[in-house]
Amino acid sequence: MFELQISNLNKTFQNVQALHQVNLEVSAGHMLAVLGPSGCGKTTLLRCIAGFEIPDSGEIRLGGKKVFGDGLNLPPEKRRVGYVPQEGALFPHITVAQNIAFGLPRREKRSKRIDEMLELVGLPGLGERMPHELSGGQQQRVALARALAPSPSLVLLDEPFSALDAGLRATLREDVKTALKEINATAVLVTHDQEEALSMADVIAVMRSGACIQTSDPVTLYKYPADIDVATFIGEATILEAAVCDGNIVECPLGDLLPVAETCLKNCDKAVIMIRPEQFVIGKPANGTVSGRVLKTTFFGHDSLVHLQLDDHLGGHEIQVRLLGTHHYQPGEPIGLKINGEVMAYPVMS
Ligand code: ADP
Ligand code: MG
């Protein structure tokens, strides 16, 4: 069953079209990541779902029930949606416990629920603290606890980790994912960080200029991006130009026999090829490899980039190959290059 269904949603501010014909569905218990650059409409989308913003047209359903569309517009408090806004999520002048209690009905056993929520987000016993007595990461956990306390049917998270440093962000991502799975929550996570989307979500919707460009599971999105912009936004990529004849790659710096994923190259005479860094395999020059030379190497700790130049008769292209851990390659060393798995090819219309 779909917990959230959005059809043909539009929203314009003055002359900015913040949302353009957005269609999305999220299954119950799943996390959807909405991924896109700053200004593409992510916050507007969340605010429309929560009921803080009125769309111009379209339809929103929660748990199968219409909450917006055809003249209907349920107010936020009737939508059972938990919202963790982008910034300043906590009320600064009341305790953590009072913050969490904020959305709870009066008669509910509040203190029991507060304790459960603090436990869930890994902060047992901190209810009497004031927000300023907590670290940034702890404050984000409390904001999540507050959103989850009234048992919403849908949780909306707007860039919840963007203000935290890298180490803390990674831990908190895992903890939030675990906490949400534990209560089988349905969630929409807004982020501009592709790693966050890939590592946390069941499904990712890529947004650009108010529109959803592609909605896929993380692996499909990474391997088969809809276009070259999605490809480069979602991860590192080497882009090479190639000639096309009768729908086939005929001239490519890496040879004509690249295993190309099924893509439509009809009606074009040029294509761009997208290869992920981990698809390159390098070794000694040998039959069946493309020959080149090491230009330099860059060490990052957990992995290294080896910068290669293909031989002149292959066009002299420069390519970066990512290798895990350390390696023995030296500048000037001849190498042979192979491709692991399928690559994507996109038509270039002239
Ligand atoms: P994101 O969250 O992806 O950064 P937003 O949804 O905040 O993007 O904004 C999308 C676009 O809509 C931007 O161009 C932004 O300037 C515009 N916008 C958002 N809210 C308003 C508003 N209240 N008034 C006018 N323009 C707005
Ligand atoms: Mg935003």
Side-chain angles (χ1 to χ4, degrees):
M1 190 195 90
F2 292 119
E3 187 57 54
L4 171 67
Q5 288 162 289
I6 295 176
S7 346
N8 301 325
L9 204 69
N10 290 292
K11 173 70 186 173
T12 309
F13 295 107
Q14 290 104 33
N15 49 7
V16 178
Q17 183 146 28
L19 297 177
H20 178 67
Q21 290 292 102
V22 172
N23 289 289
L24 282 174
E25 286 167 342
V26 189
S27 301
H30 276 192
M31 177 185 279
L32 167 80
V34 176
L35 174 67
S38 182
C40 74
K42 305 182 297 295
T43 297
T44 304
L45 177 66
L46 285 198
R47 288 175 56 80
C48 287
I49 299 169
F52 299 128
E53 208 75 73
I54 305 173
D56 303 337
S57 60
E59 194 183 276
I60 303 173
R61 286 176 180 270
L62 292 171
K65 238 185 78 204
K66 196 188 290 181
V67 298
F68 177 83
D70 296 327
L72 177 76
N73 184 29
L74 276 193
E77 63 275 14
K78 293 216 167 132
R79 295 194 183 192
R80 296 200 56 223
V81 167
Y83 186 42
V84 182
Q86 201 161 350
E87 273 153 30
L90 298 183
F91 303 116
H93 52 283
I94 55 176
T95 64
V96 164
Q98 287 165 335
N99 263 281
I100 296 174
F102 187 75
L104 291 176
R106 276 186 198 289
R107 259 176 261 140
E108 195 173 333
K109 290 180 181 148
R110 282 186 167 195
S111 62
K112 180 164 172 282
R113 186 68 181 152
I114 292 164
D115 290 346
E116 277 173 15
M117 287 299 110
L118 284 171
E119 189 80 39
L120 180 73
V121 299
L123 298 176
L126 294 194
E128 293 318 305
R129 295 261 187 104
M130 296 300 282
H132 74 264
E133 295 173 311
L134 301 177
S135 69
Q138 289 173 324
Q139 290 183 24
Q140 284 303 72
R141 288 169 194 260
V142 176
L144 179 67
R146 184 179 61 184
L148 294 177
S151 305
S153 50
L154 179 70
V155 192
L156 308 176
L157 303 150
D158 198 348
E159 312 226 21
F161 314 116
S162 57
L164 307 173
D165 61 59
L168 186 57
R169 198 155 53 207
T171 320
L172 203 56
R173 273 179 199 160
E174 278 309 310
D175 289 354
V176 166
K177 189 173 166 179
T178 309
L180 292 173
K181 284 285 173 210
E182 203 172 307
I183 54 171
N184 200 29
T186 311
V188 180
L189 168 80
V190 153
T191 179
H192 63 265
D193 180 334
Q194 59 283 3
E195 225 178 76
E196 193 162 296
L198 290 169
S199 64
M200 290 191 74
D202 299 295
V203 181
I204 301 175
V206 179
M207 273 186 87
R208 194 193 298 153
S209 311
C212 272
I213 305 297
Q214 183 174 10
T215 307
S216 306
D217 68 275
V219 174
T220 305
L221 184 68
Y222 184 76
K223 283 188 163 178
Y224 308 108
D227 61 33
I228 205 78
D229 292 332
V230 174
T232 50
F233 186 65
I234 200 82
E236 265 179 53
T238 297
I239 310 295
L240 298 172
E241 283 188 14
V244 175
C245 186
D246 292 336
N248 295 310
I249 305 279
V250 289
E251 245 174 67
C252 170
L254 293 174
D256 300 346
L257 296 175
L258 270 183
V260 177
E262 202 170 308
T263 44
C264 187
L265 296 178
K266 291 200 179 75
N267 308 322
C268 70
D269 52 15
K270 260 201 264 169
V272 283
I273 290 171
M274 189 283 293
I275 309 155
R276 295 295 185 199
E278 68 280 4
Q279 287 188 273
F280 291 110
V281 182
I282 55 174
K284 298 221 175 305
N287 274 349
T289 66
V290 175
S291 54
R293 209 163 271 282
V294 176
L295 285 176
K296 62 172 183 173
T297 64
T298 316
F299 181 57
F300 292 105
H302 64 299
D303 60 11
S304 308
L305 275 183
V306 181
H307 303 249
L308 304 173
Q309 183 160 33
L310 301 183
D311 284 351
D312 284 347
H313 70 277
L314 298 165
H317 283 274
E318 289 186 22
I319 283 177
Q320 298 181 9
V321 178
R322 195 173 278 288
L323 298 179
L324 273 182
T326 52
H327 60 81
H328 52 82
Y329 292 104
Q330 298 295 329
E333 191 173 335
I335 53 89
L337 181 72
K338 277 196 297 194
I339 305 290
N340 202 351
E342 294 175 317
V343 302
M344 289 295 284
Y346 302 94
V348 176
M349 297 302 171
S350 43

